[in-house]
Amino acid sequence: LDGRYATCHRGSVFFVDDNFIGNLPKVKALLPEVVRWQERHGFPFQFYTEASVNLAEHPGLLVEMRRAGFYAVFLGIETPDPNDLKALQKSQNARRPLLESLRVLQAHGLEIWAGLIMGLDTDRPETAGRIVEFVEESAITMAMVNLLNAPIGTQLWRRLKAEGRLL
């Protein structure tokens, strides 16, 4: 933060990590330091990050994130369908109802930015409409709907290749 501050940057700063809460002890130690730094410098920054949906299971952490200046979190939701989440092995998104988790995050003042995927094996004709309904119902601020992509060498690519599904 000192480097950004020294260059006179003010405004949004992205805490880049594919899961901000991947190491809970470290993030719990970090946030009070960020709060102190922000207080000393007059809160020049607002932060956003990426996390897993189970961030909602940590209310104390959410309070500290808001105190530090976090205003948004990107979540890889993938699909709003709980059965499809299980098929994708996204158990952290299916532990409790997604809407309930999103409401907890929003109640703590965080905007939800979400990544959703079309083209999953579990998609049905009504999937696109269900995604639109879910985004509207959940008040997701920014929804990024992407087509399923299988980069060469990934587990998904290997499975699709073995099934003869790649052109």
Side-chain angles (χ1 to χ4, degrees):
L1 296 178
D2 286 328
R4 287 291 224 178
Y5 187 77
T7 64
C8 297
H9 173 81
R10 301 296 181 269
S12 294
V13 173
F14 183 23
F15 266 74
V16 179
D17 191 321
D18 66 343
N19 188 359
F20 184 68
I21 62 167
N23 186 328
L24 279 171
K26 293 282 186 191
V27 79
K28 287 178 179 179
L30 171 70
L31 286 172
E33 297 299 323
V34 173
V35 170
R36 284 190 279 281
W37 190 96
Q38 287 270 73
E39 287 171 342
R40 281 195 314 274
H41 294 87
F43 286 86
F45 301 130
Q46 299 85 44
F47 304 114
Y48 60 103
T49 193
E50 295 178 60
S52 50
V53 173
N54 59 320
L55 172 62
E57 298 170 12
H58 304 279
L61 186 62
L62 291 167
V63 168
E64 282 299 296
M65 287 176 71
R66 285 299 295 153
R67 285 189 59 229
F70 282 82
Y71 72 95
V73 60
F74 176 86
L75 305 171
I77 291 175
E78 320 310 358
T79 175
D81 186 298
N83 294 320
D84 296 351
L85 288 170
K86 288 176 187 160
L88 290 171
Q89 298 176 1
K90 292 280 286 191
S91 59
Q92 70 275 16
N93 289 11
R95 281 196 272 230
R96 62 199 273 185
L98 269 173
L99 282 175
E100 180 183 314
S101 294
L102 300 184
R103 297 277 187 258
V104 168
L105 299 173
Q106 291 162 331
H108 282 86
L110 292 173
E111 288 182 23
I112 306 298
W113 302 346
L116 298 136
I117 298 175
M118 292 287 305
L120 302 170
D121 287 344
T122 54
D123 282 356
R124 296 169 294 286
E126 64 274 8
T127 296
R130 178 63 191 114
I131 287 175
V132 170
E133 289 171 9
F134 175 76
V135 168
E136 290 174 348
E137 185 179 2
S138 63
I140 290 172
T141 308
M142 185 180 350
M144 293 166 249
V145 181
N146 299 288
L147 294 177
L148 181 66
N149 185 5
I152 294 173
T154 63
Q155 181 180 348
L156 177 61
W157 182 86
R158 288 189 297 275
R159 180 174 65 85
L160 294 177
K161 183 168 177 57
E163 294 171 2
R165 295 172 60 191
L166 294 177
L167 299 178

